[in-house]
Amino acid sequence: QVQLVESGGGLVQPGGSLRLSCAASGTLFSINGMGWYRQTPGKQRELVATISNLGRTNYADSVKGRFTISRDNAKNTIYLQMNSLKPEDAAVYYCNAVTSVRPFWGQGTQVTVSS
């Protein structure tokens, strides 16, 4: 089992920045990669960014150049630095961990972008 706890969401003005954190615990050796997804009401959950165990990153086109995913292996934590936020970035952001058995999800953290 893998437990994921997100933090760092909140209200920010357009053009502002936020950093999300996701702390992982449990059977960490089973994790192949981690990432961030987001979801708004009535829409499917969509990929934002992923990072593999080797540090390879992947981003949705809509966030390239603005968001950065990173990891701190010593703290078993991944981060999502979000800059130049737009109203369309507002969503519940979920942390994801992929294992050979199944994916695991955090409880989500709300990001609101509004003036």
Side-chain angles (χ1 to χ4, degrees), residues 3-100:
Q3 294 79 43
L4 303 171
V5 179
E6 302 106 332
S7 61
L11 172 64
V12 63
Q13 292 185 343
S17 298
L18 279 177
R19 189 177 80 155
L20 306 182
S21 301
C22 173
S25 60
T27 53
L28 302 179
F29 65 87
S30 66
I31 296 176
N32 296 320
M34 296 182 69
W36 291 95
Y37 289 71
R38 64 188 182 187
Q39 188 171 23
T40 55
K43 293 188 177 181
Q44 287 190 331
R45 194 169 296 186
E46 64 176 7
L47 179 147
V48 176
T50 62
I51 185 165
S52 73
N53 283 351
L54 297 178
R56 184 173 299 174
T57 59
N58 180 53
Y59 296 92
D61 287 343
S62 60
V63 307
K64 283 181 180 177
R66 300 187 298 121
F67 291 11
T68 302
I69 189 171
S70 61
R71 64 191 301 154
D72 184 334
N73 291 331
K75 296 182 178 180
N76 299 319
T77 298
I78 66 167
Y79 304 95
L80 185 68
Q81 178 66 45
M82 304 186 294
N83 299 328
S84 302
L85 282 160
K86 304 175 181 180
E88 52 263 42
D89 294 317
V92 177
Y93 283 70
Y94 295 92
C95 180
N96 166 269
V98 177
T99 74
S100 57

